[in-house]
Amino acid sequence: MPKPPPGVTDSDFQAALRELENVVGRDWLFSSDEDVLLYRDGYSPLWGEAEERHASAAVAPSSVEQIQAIVKVANQYGLPLYPISTGRNLTYGGSAPTYSGSVVVDLKRMNRILEVSERDKTCLVEPGVSYFDLYRHLRTNKIKLWIDTADPGWGGLMGNALDRGGGYTGIDFRDHFDAHCGMEVVLPSGELIRTGMGANPQAKTWQLFKYGLGPWVDGIFSQSNFGIVTKMGFWLMEEPEAALQVNVTVPKRRDVVPLLDTLHSLMCAHTIPSQTTVASPLMSGGTHPELLRLRASGGASDEEWNRHAAAQGRPFWSATWIYYGARKVIAAQWEHTKDRLAGIAGIEFRETASYTFPLTDQQAEAVPDKARLGIPSLNLFGSRNAVGAPPSEGHIDFSPMIAPHGEELIALSDLTGKIYADMGLTPPFVGGLMFHPRTMICFHAVPTYRNAQDNQRTRRLFESLVRSCADRGWPIYRIHAHFQALGMQMFGFNDGALHRLHETLKDAIDPNGIVSPGRYDIWPQRLRGSRA
Amino acid sequence: MPIGSSVLPQGGRIANRRDFLAGGAAFATLAITALRAGPVQARALARPFNELVSGPLLIVYDRRLLGSDAFAADAAASGYSPLGFDSDIAALWMHEIEPRLRVPPLAIAGFTSSATLFCLELLARDYGARALRRIEQHSSATPRLTPLMGAVSGAVTAPLEPVALDAGQTGVSWLIATDRRRRAPLAAPTTDDSRG
């Protein structure tokens, strides 16, 4: 039997479940232990511990009207809801609620692609539409538009955008929240709103112009709990004539300073259109004793590092990006890029893949780096395949954001390497991804386990990383559900004024506190004294 | 990779477990491989096998794994047309597996990495399908389709349990099938008999 949420009596909970069943039908209310278990966070850093967050039930509506009816029931009984689109973002908490006892509102059944305009290069989708769904729709119908997919690509457009995830193609598309245009939202009151031009029922520009008239409110529905988003428009990338994927390497540690400065400049000038990854193959992974010594030191000199790189015969840094467009334009962009970078001694330039579109199915399947061409894949899970790899059962992402300056990347790698080493752990990946042209996100995966002892160490490590990096000016841009309160503490300017504004909004928009209590540490008044 | 090729065995849909075993598979009674399933999960998921598996059987294999050729040959000898892929099962999911899960029942057998199995279990569960058997494959043994087809007398495996490969292991052979009684967000409704 499902356990009621805190503060809801068993009889009220059972009555609420009966009413929810009346709303969605018997088949779409899930309340057995077996069913509810499927919403567990498979990568939970609290697996099996008392504090692990669990749903009490789940409900899967098929329409906006059903969502409105669910919200009405929740208000009547004080039932906390936790809406998910596909719930597959395992590294940030998956489908498990932020507040234990919440009823998951599983929106996968609302998976209609409502509109695709090849002429305007836009789409309008429901919450359950996955990257797989939209990609397949475009290919099946030979629509010459690309999606920008998260990687792995099994999630949904809306969920990823509302969590402010990123992708790999052009600048107008890979910041997934920024690429949206217009949304429809069921407010906690049950009222339905449309944002931007959608507030004019006759407007023909809902997916073309973001702002409409008056305050632009879309932002408050991302990384938050102010409503249940039921439709979103997105801008899609026109399929280019061609693409060229390139890679450059530089030999010395400090070379990353001019390398990043130049790449940053070229991205802001739109010469380099795609996400750019800069990483150190030399520093990432490996068990060479000298590598471990240098990383553990937290501040080895450039000379020491360069000696190690030379001894290993490996370049220090590697950068990868891709050009899209007409072949003649790509050739000019690449030549200009090489001219700008030519001053770095020892730099090497490579063309790693060249494509002419459209690709056949066989060609698409053979692409090694699919996300850069907007092809959803599950390749990233290959890291779980390694024979002999420690059986970590999952991971959570640590995602500090830095200015795209080489000095910052070096300082971050020194700091994180020492933190790991001090805890007896192998230092992480060194590098970053430029989802956004003016910042770099230096992801690395912190492993989670199915035993409390290892997970306690993981949590200590994660908290140390978050605090230490924030102290240096590198706060995270996104964070796992369990650590959202910690994350928000790092944004505490003026004694937490921003957080107070969030909760002021919560009280005004959701006075009964029914939508995703605690998400990004935004708690309703009634739960502030008992926040997790 | 040929997308859209026929994957059904001769005779198309199969209605019950005996049909599912068609193709010369042994009807052996085997205890299911329990992979770290906690007692609560195992109890909760206990089901009789023969009420779970029906419908067409789709067979997939990862060409990059040692032993995949033997697995595919075994499937072919049993009258199936196995679908190969190279590490990333996303295209097969989009074009072959997921469209068929929308019109259950469906059973899927495979020889893949543990990572691919992990992905498929999570994706398929929204359609009321789940893993019924997992066999970790050692390099000293040849992966085959037939052991997957043996009767299951005990509990099915729990969802979301990781399969970590040790040295000497090459992959996992497994069986996933829809449970017509199972309710899930994207499963056909049990109240609609025409779709059962």
Side-chain angles (χ1 to χ4, degrees), chain A residues 26-27 38 88 136 385, chain B residues 94 115 125-126 182-183 190:
Chain A
R26 183 177 63 86
D27 283 322
L38 298 179
R88 296 204 183 97
R136 180 173 49 199
N385 291 353
Chain B
M94 282 188 280
R125 71 187 192 184
D126 287 331
R182 177 134 184 89
R183 298 177 305 123
T190 56

Side-chain angles (χ1 to χ4, degrees), chain B residues 73-142:
Chain B
D74 192 30
S78 300
Y80 297 96
S81 300
L83 283 176
F85 66 97
D86 296 321
S87 183
D88 180 9
I89 201 166
L92 267 187
W93 169 260
M94 282 188 280
H95 299 293
E96 298 288 353
I97 301 172
E98 195 268 353
R100 292 162 196 273
L101 282 170
R102 288 176 187 263
V103 282
L106 180 72
I108 315 161
F111 175 59
T112 68
S113 67
S114 58
T116 295
L117 173 58
F118 173 83
C119 293
L120 279 180
E121 284 197 61
L122 257 71
L123 288 164
R125 71 187 192 184
D126 287 331
Y127 297 85
R130 69 175 105 186
L132 301 182
R133 171 165 282 163
R134 306 183 187 111
I135 301 173
E136 295 178 48
Q137 200 68 49
H138 287 261
S139 56
S140 57
T142 302

Side-chain angles (χ1 to χ4, degrees), chain B residues 7-9 14 16 20 49 52-60 80 97 100-101 103-110 129-130 132 149 174-179:
Chain B
V7 293
L8 300 180
I14 50 179
N16 55 41
F20 179 67
F49 182 57
L52 291 177
V53 176
S54 61
L57 173 64
L58 184 68
I59 298 171
V60 301
Y80 297 96
I97 301 172
R100 292 162 196 273
L101 282 170
V103 282
L106 180 72
I108 315 161
R130 69 175 105 186
L132 301 182
M149 302 304 165
W174 47 263
L175 177 67
I176 291 175
T178 52
D179 176 352

Side-chain angles (χ1 to χ4, degrees), chain A residues 34 37, chain B residues 32 37-52 130-132 152-159 179 181-182:
Chain A
E34 181 182 4
L37 193 64
Chain B
I32 192 90
V40 173
Q41 292 167 334
R43 274 201 306 274
L45 295 173
R47 299 267 197 224
F49 182 57
N50 60 354
E51 292 182 23
L52 291 177
R130 69 175 105 186
L132 301 182
V152 177
S153 59
V156 301
T157 53
D179 176 352
R181 297 172 310 179
R182 177 134 184 89

